Amino acid sequence: KLLTKKVLPHKLLLKHDMIAFVGLTNDSLPSVFAKALAEEPNRKWKKVCVFYTSDTLLKWFSQEKPALNNDDWEKEATNYAKEKKTSMSELTSLLSNNTDELCFYELCQHCFFGSFFGWDAPGGYIHISPTIWG
């Protein structure tokens, strides 16, 4: 059961070997993978791909928050960039020995965010949402 839209489906992580995520900073991923590895310490994924938004696009997202002024936009973009770098570093530490292929990509244009589990075979799961949902 999902408690909030930011909680990823833990069972899908454990069920599928090919996984991809497209998100703003993907800052929730390390804790979800840590939980999966705590449950199954020898779990190895075939491929994990994580798509991050570029720093330029992060600035655009921070400017879309109407309550923020110009100075706050820069601070928000800087916070997003830090969350993104922390996510990359933590995922690298967690998954380097638990994936055959760990890939990080950067998106420079607007897109849908999403989670893709086992998309290469029947029984996979794909969820997408507009970027405005976060």
Side-chain angles (χ1 to χ4, degrees):
K1 178 179 175 182
L2 295 177
L3 300 177
T4 70
K5 68 183 177 89
K6 287 293 185 181
V7 177
L8 298 173
H10 180 239
K11 294 298 177 191
L12 288 170
L13 261 184
L14 293 172
K15 181 179 177 182
H16 297 283
D17 290 323
M18 300 269 290
I19 301 170
F21 300 95
V22 181
L24 187 66
T25 65
N26 292 297
D27 60 321
S28 62
L29 287 180
S31 63
V32 175
F33 274 102
K35 181 178 177 182
L37 288 168
E39 189 172 315
E40 292 185 25
N42 296 321
R43 179 68 165 99
K44 190 160 188 158
W45 289 273
K46 183 176 178 182
K47 186 172 190 175
V48 175
C49 300
V50 185
F51 294 79
Y52 293 91
T53 51
S54 68
D55 288 348
T56 301
L57 201 51
L58 289 175
K59 286 181 185 178
W60 183 89
F61 279 108
S62 68
Q63 292 173 351
E64 287 301 298
K65 291 189 173 184
L68 299 178
N69 62 38
N70 286 342
D71 291 336
D72 290 337
W73 289 338
E74 287 296 323
K75 289 177 190 172
E76 186 75 5
T78 300
N79 287 339
Y80 283 154
K82 287 179 184 175
E83 289 174 5
K84 178 175 79 169
K85 288 179 183 156
T86 299
S87 171
M88 285 181 184
S89 175
E90 290 178 356
L91 287 171
T92 299
S93 295
L94 276 169
L95 299 177
S96 289
N97 295 323
N98 296 88
T99 57
D100 292 333
E101 187 176 354
L102 176 61
C103 311
F104 296 129
Y105 299 100
E106 187 172 82
L107 301 167
C108 298
Q109 297 180 8
H110 293 278
C111 64
F112 281 86
F113 292 154
S115 305
F116 304 81
F117 299 90
W119 68 87
D120 61 328
Y125 176 85
I126 296 174
H127 167 80
I128 60 170
S129 60
T131 53
I132 195 167
W133 290 359

